[in-house]
Amino acid sequence: MKIEKLVMMANAIAAFFEAEPDREIAIDGVSSHLRRFWDPRMRRQLVESVDAGQCEGLNALVRAALSERREQIWPSATASG
Amino acid sequence: MYSIHENDPGTPIRISTKRVVVTVDGTTVNVPEGTSVMRAASLAGVNVPKLCATDQLEAFGSCRLCLVEIEGRRGYPASCTTLVEPGMKIRTQSPELAKLRRGVMELYISDHPLDCLTCAANGNCELQEMAGKVGLREVRYGYDGENHLNADKDTSNPYFSFDPSKCIVCSRCVRACEETQGTFALTVLGRGFDSKVAPGTTSFLESECVSCGACVQACPTATLMEKSLEDGGQPDHVVATTCAYCGVGCSFRAEMKGSEVVRMVPDKQGGANHGHSCVKGRFAWGYATHPDRITTPMIRASIDDPWREVSWDEAFAHTASELRRIQSKYGDGAIGAITSSRCTNEETYLVQKLVRAVFRNNNVDTCARVCHSPTGYGLKATLGESAGTQNFDSVDHADVMIVIGANPTDAHPVFASRMKKRLREGAQLIVVDPRRIDLVRQPHIQAAYHLQLRPGTNVAVINALAHVVVNEGLLNEPFVRARCEGEAFEKWRAFIAGEENSPETLEAVTGVPAAHVRAAARLYAKAGNGAIYYGLGVTEHSQGSTMVIGIANLAMACGHIGRPGVGVNPLRGQNNVQGSCDMGSFPHELPGYRHVSDPAVRALFEREWGVRVQPEPGLRIPNMFDAALDDSFKGLYVQGEDIAQSDPDTENVLAALRSMECVIVQDLFITETAKYAHVFLPGASFLEKDGTFTNAERRINRVRKVKPPLAGLADWEVTARLAAAMGVPMPYTHPSEIMDEIARLTPTFTGVSYEKLDRLGSIQWPCNDQAPEGTPVMHMQQFVRGKGKFAVTRYVPTTERANREFPLLLTTGRILTQYNVGAQTRRTANMIWHDEDVLEIHPHDAEQRGIREGERVEIRSRIGATVMRALLTERVQPGVVYTTFHHPESGANVVTTENSDWATNCPEYKVTAVQVRKSDSRSQWQREFDAVAVEQAGLLPRHGSDTAE
Ligand code: SF4
Ligand code: SF4
Ligand code: SF4
Ligand code: FES
């Protein structure tokens, strides 16, 4: 999928959770949203693109979620796409 | 009048805990206080003759046929307008009464054509029946005095005629139009003998009439009569069923002659509609027998090939092998399905089961994705259940209503009539909408406030309303303390009280005067009962889910939840949006809104189905398109949806469809999507199958088969046969068995069965051991999630903004006479009211562009362009333009963008930055559309339909 679109969607999710004053809760919000609503192939692509340094414009909260809750967002064992 | 007899006790039911005992012709009867003598008599088994009274209308007392004698009273009171009093002794028969009644009938009959034998109402006419009942044998006045027998018949309405020569001026029609429908289109002109009923000074078609049929239903004679009845004659049997159009879910009686529908009459036992209807359900069912129906399965290798008609067996074998081929080549996750809100619960349940148990993935989604998915998310997060909180009857107890981003008089007409009735009784109305919807000002109705916000600023407005509640001491603190999570509430309170949420700060963003916001907030917060009704103007935004949460926050903050008269009420667009969501049509949820990651829930389904259920969410509709363009999604089964017309960014959708290897469309007609399909499986109309629909108030209504499926199979059978062809038998013999399975697996449906539905008429879920007969109002003692949860709803402007290149904001909606993509209503006489989509533009914006009424204009966004005619109107504010999407060639969605709700990917249909300019030709896209239409029509089998749209 187009990575720009995934970035746009992830940023929109972050825009909601950014309003949460507690950073840990905000990060949990983003990561669990991705986990609960995104098909694994979308999550995998986002994670891999970030690793490859391709996600220009990605919101800092999403970046934090991807690095601090990585196992939750992309559990290595669950590839089904 | 119903053709197949149904008792009419003459005046409406009264609810009271106080009872009154009276005797009627010696029989004792015990009735609620406020009951009429006529109704009491009927309950005692005595039907007093009547003409101007019917149980759907308040008594009027004009015909004087219903006179009775009451012991101890002088004269002969009218039984319809006289209320029972304790101990009353009523006589309905005596020589004096008989004489009086005959005298009344004589007068009526002397001015009535005596053509009973050839009259369409013959055998079903109250005048005829009453003449017989009162024993009329002669008419002393003769028939040659002054009369109305030559009055002209008005046949202008496509569905019913008006023959004033048969009118007895009982005014039932006038009252039905006022009381039931609330349109006030009819009047009694003149007085005494000269008085006559008319739709103002014009014809029905030209009048204010919205063709709801209430007057036709009320008329006791053949004056107002369905043309289908005039043509078809009186029916011989009746089947109770449910309208297949909007989310109101009106109950109907299909009056039948053999397997032909003679007419559809709203059922007064209907829990949602109580005997009322709108033009769509009442009259626009002719599409079901339209020659465009495809009734033989068809397949083709490529979308450029001609269709080949095949047997059902071949169609299933071919489809199954294609889907399995794709899976073996691209992986299990390369196929999926889309369920339809136009199909039954049982059908959508089966499609998601097919995906989960046979496709072995979770790639199932439903058209609610593009309408109410944010409702599911937002209400679940705050209240704990993805559904509206109230029943429709609740509106009778509302003191203040807020209507946000909904246009009930067009999209939910029967419920709108209920709202209007309550508003005429004195309830107050606040409308939040960029456009001046009809409800803002109607006969005898005026909204207290119309907050005419700029498109895309809903969250700013709801925050400003909540800010006023919090900062002006209007919070319902006891409710919040007792019923909501404290910590989350305090966080929300701190946020919402901030100056950035004040109406004054946000005025620049929303365009709504701060004073109006403050006044509206006070009105709602201080109301005894405040109810919020909302529609797609809330959900179809980049902050759709945030807005739903904001609405729930406001309702909780004011304590307007958990009893009749209040609540958060999403008005669902299509008949079974609620049901299709309930049935597990979302890629992350199994039936009953339970996440696929929950092992206990999966285990339940795995036991029942005997397969492993995948624990990860699947693709949502827009993700399916993206994945298709990315070559990881190659096969799609679409039941009853027309994604090529209804989904945003048409070019992108078409590109995705073109890139797939097997698109299977199951539908009534060659839809826009079917033009890009490889397999066409003929669908069955709602008249051809059994099942259930669940309306906006969670009411499960039965859909009953009145005739066999034209193509031989009902839709549920098609899905089951496809599953079997793919190696997983689904041996149901009747949809009731599918409902039994749903009940076994879904806690909110445990108590639902066809037997119970037949017994109770309808059931509002949750229906289980705690609520064996269903739940009209939810969250009464506590919220479904336990404590209500406030969430912070920061306003984030959409990225879709007006700028120099695209200075106007386009928003979309729907109108009364057409339905969704129009595949059904465009194939009915409803076309007389709306034969093309037009662009509403403010006269000021039009003038700046040199655009005159009716001229063709091009609407261009950053995505695409289309051309339609302009309608100059002040309904829209300057800077905003508006259109509908009922006709595919209008291409409204060629213009809409890929933007979507952050939580659910529900498209942002309601905000697109556009430029509008005069144009003298169709757009490039429209020319291509025309070419595809011609080309695809040429690929259809010769003897079949040659009129693909
Ligand atoms: S059809 Fe409905 S709107 Fe039209 S006149 Fe009759 S009651 Fe009124
Ligand atoms: S049209 Fe029918 S309902 Fe209306 S006044 Fe005449 S007879 Fe009565
Ligand atoms: S209001 Fe809706 S459900 Fe009722 S008749 Fe009209 S379209 Fe059908
Ligand atoms: S029915 Fe009572 S006055 Fe007409």
Side-chain angles (χ1 to χ4, degrees):
Chain A
M1 293 185 204
K2 283 205 195 105
I3 186 64
E4 303 79 39
K5 201 156 177 185
L6 295 179
V7 168
M8 191 176 98
M9 283 162 55
N11 285 354
I13 294 166
F16 178 81
F17 290 103
E18 266 174 349
E20 167 59 51
D22 184 329
R23 184 171 178 276
E24 287 303 304
I25 297 180
I27 291 178
D28 273 339
V30 172
S31 53
S32 86
H33 193 91
L34 291 174
R35 175 67 201 266
R36 291 176 71 82
F37 295 96
W38 279 29
D39 176 274
R41 74 192 86 172
M42 296 159 68
R43 284 183 266 144
R44 183 178 54 203
Q45 195 180 345
L46 188 66
V47 169
E48 287 173 359
S49 301
V50 168
D51 287 352
Q54 291 167 346
C55 286
E56 218 177 297
L58 188 65
N59 179 295
L61 197 59
V62 185
R63 283 188 191 280
L66 290 176
S67 71
E68 292 168 39
R69 305 281 191 281
R70 189 182 185 104
E71 263 306 294
Q72 191 194 344
I73 295 172
W74 182 242
S76 12
T78 54
S80 80
Chain B
M1 280 179 71
Y2 294 119
S3 289
I4 307 297
H5 190 72
E6 179 148 305
N7 191 37
D8 177 355
T11 62
I13 192 168
R14 292 287 179 252
I15 312 280
S16 173
T17 46
K18 293 200 188 123
R19 310 289 297 188
V20 177
V21 177
V22 297
T23 61
V24 184
D25 295 340
T27 303
T28 302
V29 56
N30 179 329
V31 295
E33 193 178 60
T35 300
S36 71
V37 166
M38 177 179 276
R39 191 176 178 96
S42 170
L43 296 174
V46 179
N47 286 323
V48 183
K50 62 182 176 54
L51 277 173
C52 69
T54 173
D55 62 358
Q56 295 288 287
L57 299 168
E58 292 302 323
F60 190 57
S62 71
C63 75
R64 313 296 296 165
L65 197 66
C66 68
L67 308 182
V68 291
E69 292 172 5
I70 297 175
E71 198 175 284
R73 286 212 191 170
R74 290 177 43 206
Y76 304 95
S79 62
C80 61
T81 49
T82 307
L83 303 188
V84 289
E85 285 172 23
M88 244 181 194
K89 291 196 167 58
I90 299 146
R91 260 175 75 173
T92 72
Q93 301 297 338
S94 74
E96 293 74 21
L97 286 171
K99 196 166 155 213
L100 284 167
R101 288 181 189 145
R102 269 200 294 273
V104 169
M105 276 314 291
E106 242 182 300
L107 274 172
Y108 278 120
I109 297 297
S110 69
D111 187 15
H112 196 85
L114 294 182
D115 59 356
C116 286
L117 282 183
T118 51
C119 177
N122 190 14
N124 182 33
C125 167
E126 287 185 48
L127 188 67
Q128 198 181 47
E129 186 190 337
M130 291 307 146
K133 224 174 183 169
V134 304
L136 186 71
R137 296 291 171 264
E138 58 170 349
V139 175
R140 286 163 296 166
Y141 311 107
Y143 300 102
D144 36 9
E146 210 182 329
N147 58 45
H148 301 96
L149 302 180
N150 294 322
D152 285 338
K153 195 166 171 177
D154 176 352
T155 56
S156 60
N157 185 290
Y159 297 117
F160 60 84
S161 60
F162 174 58
D163 181 357
S165 71
K166 293 183 172 165
C167 178
I168 57 170
V169 203
C170 65
S171 92
R172 273 160 66 158
C173 55
V174 180
R175 288 177 286 137
C177 193
E178 294 177 5
E179 285 175 33
T180 311
Q181 166 56 25
T183 291
F184 296 77
L186 300 176
T187 39
V188 180
L189 301 172
R191 317 183 90 187
F193 178 80
D194 286 331
S195 61
K196 59 173 189 172
V197 163
T201 52
T202 176
S203 70
F204 264 87
L205 190 63
E206 298 299 320
S207 73
E208 295 294 307
C209 167
V210 293
S211 215
C212 71
C215 57
V216 183
Q217 179 67 6
C219 183
T221 67
T223 313
L224 283 161
M225 172 70 69
E226 295 90 345
K227 290 180 176 174
S228 63
L229 196 70
E230 287 178 334
D231 295 343
Q234 293 290 334
D236 51 40
H237 71 283
V238 64
V239 183
T241 189
T242 303
C243 176
Y245 282 118
C246 88
V248 178
C250 295
S251 299
F252 276 87
R253 291 158 57 98
E255 295 192 343
M256 308 291 301
K257 210 174 192 167
S259 62
E260 293 305 309
V261 180
V262 176
R263 62 175 179 174
M264 297 287 284
V265 201
D267 192 342
K268 61 185 183 185
Q269 318 295 351
N273 59 325
H274 302 294
H276 191 32
S277 63
C278 84
V279 59
K280 293 190 285 285
R282 177 80 151 93
F283 296 120
W285 37 267
Y287 69 88
T289 48
H290 195 280
D292 284 356
R293 281 281 300 268
I294 303 284
T295 54
T296 310
M298 304 188 296
I299 60 175
R300 57 182 176 181
S302 124
I303 60 169
D304 303 317
D305 288 345
W307 284 105
R308 187 164 68 81
E309 289 185 329
V310 293
S311 67
W312 277 112
D313 282 342
E314 185 176 348
F316 292 129
H318 171 79
T319 311
S321 86
E322 274 298 281
L323 291 173
R324 287 296 189 222
R325 177 188 65 76
I326 291 172
Q327 284 190 304
S328 60
K329 184 162 169 200
Y330 300 97
D332 275 1
I335 62 173
I338 296 177
T339 75
S340 173
S341 297
R342 295 199 269 275
C343 289
T344 63
N345 285 318
E346 294 74 5
E347 286 154 3
T348 47
Y349 174 86
L350 273 201
V351 174
Q352 65 86 34
K353 178 173 174 179
L354 175 83
V355 170
R356 298 197 155 104
V358 185
F359 293 3
R360 304 183 296 257
N361 63 43
N362 283 314
N363 294 332
V364 59
D365 205 0
T366 179
C367 53
R369 173 68 51 215
V370 302
C371 70
H372 265 292
S373 51
T375 290
Y377 180 87
L379 296 186
K380 179 130 192 174
T382 47
L383 313 179
E385 190 58 273
S386 301
T389 61
Q390 311 296 115
N391 57 353
F392 288 146
D393 289 355
S394 162
V395 77
D396 293 346
H397 306 278
D399 301 308
V400 172
M401 298 173 212
I402 310 188
V403 175
I404 313 177
N407 186 5
T409 52
D410 280 74
H412 305 91
V414 164
F415 181 62
S417 292
R418 294 286 297 279
M419 292 175 122
K420 291 195 285 186
K421 191 169 191 176
R422 183 63 188 157
L423 292 167
R424 289 197 304 274
E425 287 167 0
Q428 305 252 46
L429 172 67
I430 299 162
V431 171
V432 183
D433 203 297
R435 189 165 160 270
R436 196 185 66 228
I437 57 168
D438 281 348
L439 211 50
V440 172
R441 202 190 171 101
Q442 286 254 304
H444 306 286
I445 291 171
Q446 169 78 59
Y449 301 100
H450 175 201
L451 310 184
Q452 197 166 12
L453 76 178
R454 291 200 185 103
T457 62
N458 281 335
V459 173
V461 169
I462 206 80
N463 283 351
L465 288 166
H467 174 92
V468 176
V469 170
V470 167
N471 287 20
E472 293 193 8
L474 299 170
L475 266 175
N476 187 334
E477 303 239 15
F479 179 91
V480 172
R481 253 198 311 281
R483 299 283 307 268
C484 304
E485 281 184 14
E487 200 182 316
F489 168 71
E490 289 306 335
K491 217 180 260 179
W492 175 79
R493 190 213 298 251
F495 158 77
I496 208 80
E499 189 46 36
E500 74 275 18
N501 288 316
S502 80
E504 289 72 18
T505 309
L506 290 170
E507 183 172 329
V509 171
T510 63
V512 184
H516 288 188
V517 175
R518 287 199 177 269
R522 290 173 199 137
L523 186 62
Y524 171 74
K526 289 181 187 168
N529 285 328
I532 302 178
Y533 294 92
Y534 72 87
L536 305 182
V538 158
T539 52
E540 290 175 348
H541 286 277
S542 59
Q543 279 202 292
S545 293
T546 315
M547 180 61 182
V548 174
I549 293 171
I551 288 172
N553 286 341
L554 181 66
M556 290 191 291
C558 298
H560 285 325
I561 206 148
R563 62 181 185 278
V566 297
V568 176
N569 304 276
L571 295 172
R572 308 290 187 149
Q574 305 196 55
N575 49 340
N576 202 33
V577 178
Q578 181 69 54
S580 68
C581 299
D582 300 342
M583 292 299 107
S585 294
F586 288 134
H588 63 288
E589 278 170 343
L590 285 155
Y593 303 100
R594 289 164 296 165
H595 202 273
V596 290
S597 63
D598 183 336
V601 175
R602 280 203 314 280
L604 205 64
F605 285 86
E606 287 172 348
R607 249 199 318 278
E608 177 83 29
W609 295 345
V611 294
R612 179 160 180 266
V613 174
Q614 294 298 320
E616 292 288 345
L619 295 166
R620 301 181 279 198
I621 294 174
N623 312 147
M624 289 179 188
F625 299 148
D626 291 339
L629 292 168
D630 204 26
D631 278 346
S632 71
F633 190 76
K634 290 289 185 184
L636 180 63
Y637 168 37
V638 189
Q639 184 181 67
E641 270 311 304
D642 196 3
I643 46 179
Q645 188 182 343
S646 61
D647 285 38
D649 193 357
T650 309
E651 296 273 25
N652 188 58
V653 177
L654 299 187
L657 288 172
R658 276 195 210 100
S659 73
M660 288 191 222
E661 294 182 8
C662 185
V663 174
I664 304 140
V665 168
Q666 182 178 353
D667 217 308
L668 303 180
F669 306 106
I670 293 291
T671 59
E672 293 312 306
T673 312
K675 293 175 185 167
Y676 298 86
H678 307 85
V679 176
F680 187 93
L681 304 174
S685 79
F686 77 113
L687 297 167
E688 298 157 31
K689 59 198 185 186
D690 279 299
T692 55
F693 292 150
T694 306
N695 77 352
E697 42 163 14
R698 294 170 278 104
R699 185 184 300 281
I700 309 163
N701 274 315
R702 271 285 267 121
V703 179
R704 290 187 181 83
K705 180 167 153 181
V706 304
K707 57 199 290 191
L710 287 192
L713 294 181
D715 294 307
W716 63 271
E717 294 173 293
V718 173
T719 308
R721 293 269 297 269
L722 178 57
M726 293 182 78
V728 183
M730 293 190 185
Y732 306 101
T733 60
H734 189 267
S736 61
E737 297 166 7
I738 307 174
M739 180 53 85
D740 293 342
E741 181 174 319
I742 296 165
R744 277 200 297 281
L745 293 168
T746 316
T748 43
F749 276 68
T750 315
V752 180
S753 68
Y754 276 32
E755 178 278 317
K756 196 187 272 184
L757 282 165
D758 288 343
R759 187 155 39 86
L760 301 179
S762 62
I763 300 171
Q764 287 176 270
W765 69 258
C767 172
N768 44 31
D769 289 348
Q770 291 82 48
E773 301 211 335
T775 312
V777 176
M778 292 184 81
H779 314 296
M780 297 273 267
Q781 315 307 334
Q782 59 166 10
F783 286 103
V784 170
R785 70 184 299 284
K787 297 258 182 190
K789 185 168 186 191
F790 283 81
V792 171
T793 53
R794 190 173 58 130
Y795 166 62
V796 181
T798 166
T799 52
E800 188 67 17
R801 275 174 236 176
N803 54 33
R804 192 178 298 185
E805 195 182 352
F806 302 112
L808 303 172
L809 290 180
L810 169 73
T811 183
T812 60
R814 45 192 79 191
I815 61 147
L816 171 68
T817 51
Q818 297 286 358
Y819 176 73
N820 202 275
V821 294
Q824 294 139 291
T825 44
R826 279 185 284 112
R827 291 183 172 90
T828 69
N830 279 22
M831 286 293 275
I832 202 167
W833 290 287
H834 183 87
D835 59 359
E836 64 177 313
D837 296 315
V838 295
L839 185 80
E840 290 189 8
I841 182 167
H842 191 276
H844 175 73
D845 290 328
E847 194 189 336
Q848 274 190 341
R849 292 163 174 78
I851 295 166
R852 285 194 303 259
E853 177 83 21
E855 283 185 334
R856 280 190 176 179
V857 293
E858 182 203 66
I859 306 118
R860 176 174 294 280
S861 73
R862 62 186 166 83
I863 296 290
T866 190
V867 170
M868 52 180 85
R869 286 182 201 285
L871 171 73
L872 276 50
T873 170
E874 292 183 359
R875 266 170 181 276
V876 288
Q877 50 187 306
V880 176
V881 291
Y882 167 90
T883 190
T884 47
F885 60 98
H886 302 301
H887 294 268
E889 65 275 18
S890 325
N893 284 325
V894 175
V895 179
T896 52
T897 72
E898 76 287 5
N899 276 18
S900 67
D901 172 46
W902 66 269
T904 66
N905 278 161
C906 177
E908 190 177 40
Y909 287 116
K910 301 295 182 183
V911 194
T912 309
V914 296
Q915 178 57 295
V916 175
R917 63 175 181 84
K918 269 167 71 159
S919 164
D920 38 23
S921 62
R922 283 162 83 73
S923 72
Q924 170 73 20
W925 178 84
Q926 282 166 317
R927 285 197 295 273
E928 283 164 23
F929 172 88
D930 294 343
V932 170
V934 171
E935 187 190 324
Q936 287 293 323
L939 300 177
L940 283 169
R942 278 284 165 74
H943 63 88
S945 162
D946 58 358
T947 49
E949 322 165 72

